[in-house]
Every structure is written in C-alpha cells, then in structure tokens.
C-alpha cells in the first residue's frame, strides 16, 4: 500500500492517490492500444518490418491454460523488444479450429462443430486479449472460415496441377475410435496421436501429397536455417535418407527374382538367409508354386493372415521376432551359395523393397532372428583393432605357466581345462607347437585371427591343421562331425564358433572394419568393399546404387466432416478433375448427421446434393470427392494469409509477402519438430517452385520454448492439474502472471508453476509502483554519482543481452536487482525511473504504461526506443571489495579499477588493513581465493 502524499518534482506536479490496481489499468490500456492501433502496423508502408510469429494455436474448447500462455508471452516479449529496437513488428494471431481435435470435442459435448467452434473462438480470444499481448487484432485468421479455406482448397489444386497430389490405394493407418485414417506422423508407437486407440491397417483409396519428391530439398534446407540442433536432427531422422544398393537374388524353383535393399553390401558374403515381408508380392508366386507342399502353403497363408491382424503396436511389444521358412532357396550372387528364404514381419513392406539379405553377424535384428531359428552366422567384418582369440578346451595338460611363458594372456578360466585366451601375433608358432605337444587327443583347438585356424588332434596324436575357407569348409565340417560324433550335416563351422560367446564378442558387431570370409575382397575396408562389390555387381546387372527415405508421402484425405472438402470431382469420362477456381470455395455443407461413419467414407458421402455435380471439363454428370483435407494442411500456410486477410481474390498480396516474409522469428513447441514444421517447409518450397514466392524456407529462425509443469508433474487434463490463467489474472493481473511465468527459468527450459512464486512477483510489481510513482524525481542526471551511472548502464546491458538470448528470467532478475539498488536512495532521477520502466515494459506492459503516463511521458512506452548503454560507463573507477577470512566478511575496501586484475597487489592491500592483520596474526594462510573486483578470501 502506498501512502497518499503530495510532492513535487522538477518537471511536473502530480498527486499520487492511487494504489496499484491491476484490473483497472489493464483493461484501460488494452482498450487504448486497440483504439489507437498501437500494435496494428500499416503493412504496406511501414519500415524495418519484423514478422514475429507464434506457432498457430489449436485451442481446446476449454480454452488456454498457463502452459499456452507461457509460450505466447515469451513470443510477445521478443516482439516488444524488437519494436523498441526500431522495428515495425507484426505479431498476428488466429486459430486452427478445423480438424479431428475440434470435431472430437464436439462429439464429446454433443454440439455441432460449427457452433462449438464459435464458442471456442470467443473464449480463446477473450483469454488472449486479457494477457495483453501486442497482437494485431485486425488480422485474425480462423481456418474454418470459408474466406480462408477457399485458399486451402486452391493450394490443393495448385499441387494437383503440379503433379504433386495423387490418389492411390494404400494400406493406411486407421483409427477405429476416430474412424478415420491417420498419417504416419499421427501414429505414436502404434497408437492414435489424438485418442490413444490402437491403430489398424486398412486398404483405402487416398489422396497423397508427394512430399518425398522434396526429401532432398528438405534435407539440404536444414543446413541454412538457424534452428536448434535437436529440432534439425529430428527432421533429419524423420526424412531418414539412406544410401545403399538394391541387389537381386535368384530364387530357385521359382521364375522370380527378389531384390533386397541393403546399406551394407560389403557384408554380402555373410548373408546367410533372405527375409521377405508378409506383404511381399512374391508370396503369391510362392503360393502358386508346385514345388511347395500344400501344408507349407497353409502355414504361409496363416502367417500372412496373422501379420495382417497384428497392429504395429503389438509388433513393437512382441520383442521376440517370429518367422516362417518358405521352403524355397535364394542364390547368393557373390558365391552361389543357396540360402533359405524366410517370411517375417520384422521386414516392413513400406521400406526399401520389402525384402532383405540377412547378415546375422553384423545386424542385430538378423542376429536375434538367426539365434531363434538356428540359422548360420558367418562373420565377414573384422574390427580394425582386434586380438587373436582362442577358447582352449581339452587342455588339462597345459598349465597356465606353459601359456604365459610364451606370452599368451589368460582372460578367464572356466574349468580346469577350459580357458579363454588371447594369443599375441609373435607367439603363434610357439602356441601351435604347444597344442601339438600337450592338447588331449581327440580334441581340436581353433584360434581366430583374420581367419579361423583349426588344429585337430586325432586319437593317434597327430595334428591336422586346416585354415577354414570355402574350399576347406566341407573338410572341417566332416572332422568336426567325427570329433563330436554327430552327423556333419548339422554343423556349420562358423556358426559353431559364433555360438561361443568368447568368439562372438569380437566377431559379432555392427562396426566398420575390414573384410574376412569374403573371397577376393578379403582385407578391403568396409568403404572400399562397398564400392568394389557394388561396381562388380552393377556390371553384372545384379545390383544398382539407390537412395531411399523413411519419409512417406503426405496422406491428405480424412473421412471426416470438420475440414475443407477436397476440391476434386470424379467424372466417368474425364477422370479426376479439379473444381474450377471460380467455383471455390467448395463450401462445407451444414448437415445434421456430421458424425464419423467408420465406413471408410466421410459423412458428406450421404448428401446427394453435395455429391452430385457436373464435370467442370465436359459438363457431364460427375461426383464430388467427399473426403476433407488433413488439418495439418490448414496450418501449413496460415502465416502467408495473416499478411493479407482483406485480400479476396488471391491467397495473399505478393507485395506484402515480399515485404514481410520469411518470418523473422518463429516461436513454438518442439513437439512440432516433424509434423507442422516439415509440412510448412514443404509447402513453402512448392510455392517457390511454382513461382509464387521467392524464398524457400518459411522460418529462417525458429526457437523452441520449454514446457511448463505444475509442482513437478506435467500439466494434463487427466491429472487435473491444469492451471487456467483467468483467476490469476483476476487476482493479480496479467502483468504479474506474465512476469512470473517468464521468471521461472530460461525460456527454452520451461519450469515449474508455483502459486507462491506469483505472490513474490506481485509484491515486486507493487514495489515498483511505489518506487516510481512516489519517490521524489527531482534530481538531475548530471548529479548522479559514478556508481549510479554505472549501475544504470550495467543493468541495461545485462537485461538487453538476456532478452536477446531468451534468458528472460535473467533479464527480470536484472531489473529486480536494480530496483533494490535504487530503493536505497532518497530520490531518483528521471532517467533512472525511465530505465526501470523501459526494461520492465516487455514483461509487464500495463503497469509500465500506466507509470509512464503518470510520469507525464508521451504514449506509448511500447513505442519508445529501448535504452542504450554506453561501454565507457561499464567500468567503475573504484570497486568495493569484500575481504573475507575463511569465507566470512571481515572488512571492505575500495580498490581502483587499474589494479583489480593484479591479485598480488590486492592481497597486499588487504593484508595491510589493521583488522585483517589482527585476525591473521599467528595463522598460516593456506590459500587465497580472489573473485575479480568483488571478493578476496583468505583460507587459513
Ligand atoms: C544387410 C545388412 C548388413 C544391413 C548389416 C544392415 C547391417 P537404414 O539404415 O535404416 O536404411 N532393411 C532394408 N529394408 C528393410 C525393411 N523393409 N524392413 C526392415 N529392415 C530393412 O537400414 C537399412 C538396413 O535395414 C538394410 O541394410 C537392411 O539390412 C535393413 F551388417 O542389409 B541391411
Ligand atoms: Zn468430364
């Protein structure tokens, strides 16, 4: 509470009779800003344009919670800062109210989406007005207004005409609860992003945008935009460019070949089986093949059927891979070996060719599969740094010292005659000699260098030494069979070795290295081998270089009601024809029965008056497309429209776009890293290629704000801890809430919302009110001493740098400290008051505007220039220096700026002080800690 008192200042006389009542001044100034058009720049004539954009909100009908407000406020502060730094700032607002999100809410509350949208819009805009952002309220955009979606439809047609929109039948993600298809991006771990239901696969005819044609451009563009690495990496991975080769395998007994996609053609000698997806086209030929038994065919059909039933989610959950041998064999083109062909759903039909060559030695998924089904494992890549290893068995007569004497290292002893060992290269000859002498007869020993060397010791004591190669493999197998008294058929020498974890630990890996077990390619590095093998196979027409992407084309159609009807007409004579542009928009009809049908068709399909039309080309009878477009299309171009909301004959005015775009600062949530941000980039690139704009990245700077939590937990409706700003605004005012939110932490880090923190900020603003409105303002700037000038400049510097880097919390702390400093003085200069208000104005726009006017300064503080600091005042000629002993303050001296960098001098000065001298008498100084210009601490 402020005492009522009358006083005079040098420039004016005024009476402070009021307390700080936020409710009064906030409404007053919001009206004033609106009436005067303070934040509605003339988009044609203004200079130094700065487009400050907050990510398009899609408010829920319950309205905005403080987490949303956090984001909006942070964006607003940046805009205000830029305005005060000489820019004409355009900060528009609108909402994305079309789409499943809004429609589902309408279903829940049982209100027609159109009516519900009006309600939500009203509530959302009311809340937004109350937070006092510098929005240009004359240019709002709502996606469900025909004036807007007319152009969304127009954009669809432009893409269609450019060959970038097409229809295809595709297995699509279908949400049984939302009764619609979903884009891949909208499926999170097999569940619908919106409602969490387990997503099914369905075959439907759908519209797609060819975003994959832009994959390379979307990747390249990432290198030239100023976004956080995290978001760029997310896009990079989502696009997922993969360079590799397609290799064709002949199939025995089948007149068909199977092409696989691999990024590791260097491992082809280690391909011990082939795996095809259950949806692979060759399955139908297998099912027709006379060489396959009927029983096997039934098994295959059943496996395929189960795979169709299985959702992606279930597949992810089922850690263990399942598979089925088809009874057919493929021929490895590099060595002619016959390898079995399996079916498994770990191979996706949508990626590559839907078939892989499995290399269990160097691919973890293949390894898991091979282990489960007992398929051979042949290592073909040796790591660069490696050891010669052996697993010594049957060596009861070989002592540890026999081994260590020749330099062999014993890694582990598992039993008396079983040891894991490492053999140095120079000891190999002696080691073989030792084996020859002392290995128990009837055992063999092998050690693996770049190849596997077998030493078979027959019962009669003689040693047979064999290096395992493709030529000797049969012999090794036979001997192994003899020694193990097993039929040799089951024995795969390399697989036997790899089932031993001591060998596996150095031979089964996913690293690069050099080739082994690969005939003439042995010794080549992975890189060299990739090239050499690809070259050879390309010449034989067996392989070709390819690059593929994880990115899928953008599935655009939705079998729902609440969206812009896709502006296409199907004519029996002419096929698909776009609606004539003069006939746009295709209005979304008002219908009673708007709820999703789950039939694979939109509710619009039940409306003959909508469906039946005439063909724009031949004027014959035709039918309209009844699907609506994905809401992500609505939000992919809104920022173009903001600049030209009054334009009725085009999506935007070219001159405006030239002046205002690309967006200078885009702020939004990192959760949109791949969806929205990829689609906007794609459309912008398309517009550029169509020649309608001249830039190809919409957001050269994007800043991802942090997320707000509530007392340790994520704010969510289900937890019931969602904080609605309205009551806080009512109680403390928007200024307090804004400033509190920004004070919680750095803007990119988010923070935790506590009621107690708000109280603190409220007290702070009340003190500012008292300080500025009540303190004598009579002293002149010239009479400020050096320290006060220094503090003023230092504070301006600190706050300015902090806002530039979105450390709003640091900026507010700077103002707080300055307040503390000023409040110690009897009277303030006009300049000091001005600086406090200007620095605080982006955070607390209303109270600062009010105090600004109380000081008699011209409207508006928000159009005033940002205060500048002068480097020459950023140094004091003398600094107060605290002297501590063991961290406790004992004295204070003032030292000249010329010596603050000279620690020995500082120490000397401190030690000469009588007090310090006395304290230290008879004590030994162990350490001196010096904090430049602030503290010297003697540790004794
Ligand atoms: C042999 C190989 C050996 C592979 C090796 C990897 C390591 P990225 O990098 O993600 O593109 N693959 C190919 N098509 C597949 C499909 N439809 N479903 C599942 N896996 C598929 O991955 C490319 C690798 O993933 C390919 O290279 C293939 O396995 C597998 F040591 O081929 B590779
Ligand atoms: Zn026609």
């Amino acid at each position: 509470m402020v005492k009522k008192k009358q006083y005079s200042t040098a420039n004016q006389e005024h009476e402070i009779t009021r307390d700080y009542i936020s409710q009064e001044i906030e409404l007053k100034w919001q009206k004033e800003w609106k009436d005067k058009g303070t934040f509605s720049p003339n988009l044609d004539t203004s200079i130094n344009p700065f487009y400050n954009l907050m990510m398009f909100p899609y408010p829920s009908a319950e309205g905005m919670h403080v987490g949303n407000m956090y984001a909006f406020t942070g964006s607003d502060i940046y805009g205000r800062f830029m305005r005060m730094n000489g820019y004409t700032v355009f900060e528009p607002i609108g909402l994305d109210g079309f789409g499943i999100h809004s429609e589902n809410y309408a279903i829940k509350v049982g209100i027609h989406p159109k009516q519900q949208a009006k309600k939500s819009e009203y509530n959302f805009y009311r809340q937004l007005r109350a937070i006092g952002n510098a929005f240009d309220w004359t240019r709002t955009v709502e996606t469900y207004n025909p004036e807007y979606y007319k152009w969304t439809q127009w954009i669809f047609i432009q893409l269609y005409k450019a060959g970038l929109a097409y229809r295809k039948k595709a297995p699509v993600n279908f949400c049984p609860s939302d009764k619609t298809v979903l884009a891949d991006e909208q499926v999170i771990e097999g569940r619908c992003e919106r409602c969490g239901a387990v997503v099914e696969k369905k075959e439907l005819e759908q519209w797609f945008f060819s975003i994959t044609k832009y994959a390379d451009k979307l990747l390249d563009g990432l290198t030239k935009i100023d976004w956080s690495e995290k978001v760029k990496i997310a896009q990079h991975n989502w696009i997922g460019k993969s360079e590799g080769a397609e290799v064709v395998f002949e199939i025995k007994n089948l007149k068909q070949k199977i092409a696989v996609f691999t990024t590791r053609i260097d491992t082809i000698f280690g391909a011990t089986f082939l795996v095809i997806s259950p949806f692979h086209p060759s399955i139908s030929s297998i099912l027709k093949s006379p060489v396959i038994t009927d029983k096997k065919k039934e098994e295959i059909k059943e496996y395929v059927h189960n795979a169709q039933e299985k959702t992606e989610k279930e597949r992810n959950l089922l850690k263990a891979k399942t598979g089925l041998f088809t009874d057919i064999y493929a021929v490895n083109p590099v060595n002619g070996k016959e390898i079995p062909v399996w079916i498994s759903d770990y191979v996706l039909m949508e990626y590559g060719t839907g078939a892989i060559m499995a290399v269990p030695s160097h691919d973890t998924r293949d390894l898991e599969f091979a282990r489960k089904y007992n398929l051979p494992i042949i290592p073909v890549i040796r790591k660069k740094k490696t050891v010669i290893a052996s697993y010594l068995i049957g060596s009861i007569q070989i002592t540890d010292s026999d081994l260590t004497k020749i330099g062999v290292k014993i890694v582990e002893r598992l039993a008396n005659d079983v040891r894991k060992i490492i053999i140095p290269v120079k000891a190999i000859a002696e080691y073989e000699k030792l084996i020859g002498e002392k290995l128990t007869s009837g055992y063999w020993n092998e050690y693996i260098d770049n190849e596997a060397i077998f030493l078979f010791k027959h019962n009669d004591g003689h040693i047979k030494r064999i290096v395992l190669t493709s030529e000797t493999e049969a012999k090794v197998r036979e001997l192994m069979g003899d020694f193990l008294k097993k039929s040799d058929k089951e024995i795969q020498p390399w697989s036997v070795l790899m089932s031993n974890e001591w060998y596996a630990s150095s031979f089964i890996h996913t690293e690069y290295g050099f080739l082994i077990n690969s005939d003439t390619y042995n010794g080549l590095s992975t890189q060299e081998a990739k090239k050499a093998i690809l070259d050879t196979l390309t010449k034989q027409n067996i392989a070709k270089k390819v690059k593929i992407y994880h990115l899928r084309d953008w599935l655009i159609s939705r079998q729902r009601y609440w969206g812009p009807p896709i502006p296409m007409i199907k004519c029996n004579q002419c096929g698909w024809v776009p609606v004539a542009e003069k006939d746009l928009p295709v209005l979304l009809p008002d219908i009673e029965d708007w709820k999703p049908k789950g039939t694979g068709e939109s509710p619009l399909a039940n409306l003959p008056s909508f469906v039946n039309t005439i063909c724009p080309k031949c004027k014959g009878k035709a039918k309209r497309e009844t699907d609506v477009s994905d809401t992500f299309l609505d939000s992919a171009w809104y920022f173009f429209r903001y600049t030209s909301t009054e334009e009725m004959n085009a999506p935007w005015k070219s001159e405006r776009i030239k002046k205002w775009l690309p967006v200078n600062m885009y702020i939004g949530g990192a959760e949109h890293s791949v969806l929205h941000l990829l689609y906007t980039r794609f459309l912008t690139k398309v517009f550029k290629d169509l020649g309608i704009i001249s830039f190809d990245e919409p957001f050269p700077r994007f800043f991802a704000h942090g997320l707000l939590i509530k007392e340790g937990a994520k704010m969510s409706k289900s937890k019931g801890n969602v904080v609605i700003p309205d009551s806080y605004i009512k109680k403390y005012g928007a200024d307090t809430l804004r400033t509190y939110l920004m004070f919680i932490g750095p803007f990119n880090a988010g923070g935790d919302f506590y009621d107690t923190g708000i109280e603190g900020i409220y007290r702070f603003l009340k003190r500012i009110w008292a300080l500025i409105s009540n303190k004598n303002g009579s002293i002149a700037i010239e009479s400020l001493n050096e320290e006060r000038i220094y503090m003023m400049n230092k504070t301006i510097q600190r706050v300015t740098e902090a806002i530039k880097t979105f450390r709003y919390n640091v900026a507010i702390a700077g103002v707080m400290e300055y307040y503390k400093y000023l409040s110690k003085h009897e009277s303030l200069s006009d300049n000091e008051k001005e600086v406090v208000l200007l620095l605080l104005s982006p955070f607390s726009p209303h109270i600062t505007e009010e105090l600004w006017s109380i000081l008699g300064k011209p409207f508006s503080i928000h159009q005033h220039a940002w205060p500048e600091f002068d480097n020459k005042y950023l140094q004091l000629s003398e600094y107060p220096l605290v002297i501590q002993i063991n961290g406790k303050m004992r004295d204070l001296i003032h030292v000249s700026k010329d010596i603050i960098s000279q620690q020995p001098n500082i120490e000397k000065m401190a030690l000469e002080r009588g007090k310090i001298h006395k304290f230290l008498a008879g004590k030994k100084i162990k350490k001196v800690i010096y904090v430049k210009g602030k503290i010297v601490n003697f540790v004794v």
Side-chain angles (χ1 to χ4, degrees), residues 563-834:
I566 290 176
M568 296 296 294
I569 291 171
K570 176 95 182 259
C571 166
N572 280 337
Q573 307 303 317
C574 319
W576 284 101
V577 184
V579 171
E581 287 180 21
K582 65 169 177 42
D583 294 336
L584 294 178
V586 179
L587 283 173
L588 179 64
D590 277 323
I591 55 173
E592 283 294 311
D593 192 13
W594 49 270
K595 288 183 187 151
K597 294 282 155 294
T599 54
E601 274 191 326
S602 152
L604 295 178
N606 297 339
L607 205 65
S609 60
F610 177 80
V611 175
N612 297 321
T613 184
I614 51 163
C615 168
K617 235 185 199 164
C618 72
K619 309 292 176 223
K621 277 190 180 161
K623 286 186 189 311
R624 278 188 201 283
E625 170 63 69
T626 55
D627 286 356
V628 298
S629 56
D630 179 14
T631 179
F632 276 103
L633 178 59
D634 301 322
S635 58
W637 75 279
Y638 72 104
F639 51 98
F640 287 92
R641 185 66 188 169
Y642 274 146
T643 63
S644 314
T645 42
E646 74 275 45
E647 172 63 64
M648 290 300 137
N649 299 316
W652 55 73
K653 292 183 192 289
S654 294
E655 288 308 310
R656 294 259 176 90
I657 297 296
K658 261 187 214 139
K659 192 177 175 83
W660 290 92
L661 273 93
V663 169
N664 298 84
M665 174 57 80
Y666 197 39
I667 293 182
E671 70 273 22
H672 297 289
S673 305
V674 288
L675 296 142
H676 166 65
L677 286 172
L678 199 65
Y679 295 146
T680 50
R681 294 184 59 225
F682 164 61
L683 272 198
T684 303
K685 286 176 192 300
V686 172
F687 295 161
K688 163 87 194 288
D689 288 349
L690 293 177
I692 51 182
I693 58 170
S694 58
F695 53 92
D696 69 347
E697 284 292 342
F699 314 123
R701 269 196 88 186
F702 167 66
F703 182 86
H705 62 75
L707 295 179
L708 208 59
I709 55 178
K710 165 78 172 162
E711 286 160 20
K714 187 178 180 259
M715 245 179 246
S716 78
K717 271 179 224 141
S718 55
K719 286 207 192 76
N721 66 347
V722 176
V723 181
I724 305 297
D726 303 36
S727 61
Y728 292 94
I729 291 178
K730 214 166 157 213
K731 187 163 175 200
Y732 304 107
D735 283 341
T736 294
L737 188 54
R738 289 170 62 102
T739 310
Y740 169 65
L741 289 174
M742 296 300 106
F743 189 55
I744 293 178
F747 189 46
N748 66 349
D752 207 342
F753 187 96
Y754 282 94
D755 283 7
T756 44
I758 297 186
E759 288 282 352
I761 295 287
Y762 187 47
R763 281 196 298 275
F764 168 63
L765 288 189
K766 283 197 286 195
R767 288 191 187 120
I768 290 281
W769 178 270
L771 178 85
I772 304 296
S773 66
N774 236 1
K775 266 246 153 117
N776 277 328
S778 52
I779 59 170
I781 182 95
E782 298 81 44
S783 63
L784 293 185
N785 67 17
E786 191 203 350
E787 194 188 75
R788 282 175 79 163
I789 299 275
Y790 163 79
M791 280 303 288
M792 186 153 91
N793 280 273
K794 192 80 199 159
T795 304
I796 297 172
Q797 183 201 31
R798 187 172 168 198
V799 174
T800 307
E801 300 299 327
I803 294 182
K804 272 187 193 161
T805 51
F806 298 96
R807 290 171 304 134
Y808 296 149
N809 56 328
V810 173
I812 295 167
V815 181
M816 286 174 167
E817 278 174 34
Y818 192 42
Y819 159 80
K820 240 176 158 174
Y821 176 79
L822 292 179
S823 64
K824 285 190 290 203
H825 296 89
E826 229 345 91
S827 50
L828 301 183
S829 76
D830 207 43
N831 285 73
E832 287 167 320
K833 292 181 177 181
E834 221 178 74

Side-chain angles (χ1 to χ4, degrees), residues 255-268:
K255 273 194 252 22
Q256 209 171 24
K257 297 173 182 180
I258 292 179
V260 304
F261 171 73
T262 177
T263 48
R264 293 295 304 274
I265 198 169
D266 57 307
T267 64
I268 191 164

Side-chain angles (χ1 to χ4, degrees), residues 242 261-264 267 346-359 362-363 365-366 548 550:
S242 205
F261 171 73
T262 177
T263 48
R264 293 295 304 274
T267 64
Y346 84 93
V347 174
L348 311 170
M349 195 54 228
E350 307 87 65
Y351 191 61
T353 60
I356 64 158
M357 60 176 212
V359 183
H362 305 294
D363 181 285
R365 295 159 300 181
D366 299 344
I548 63 169
H550 280 276

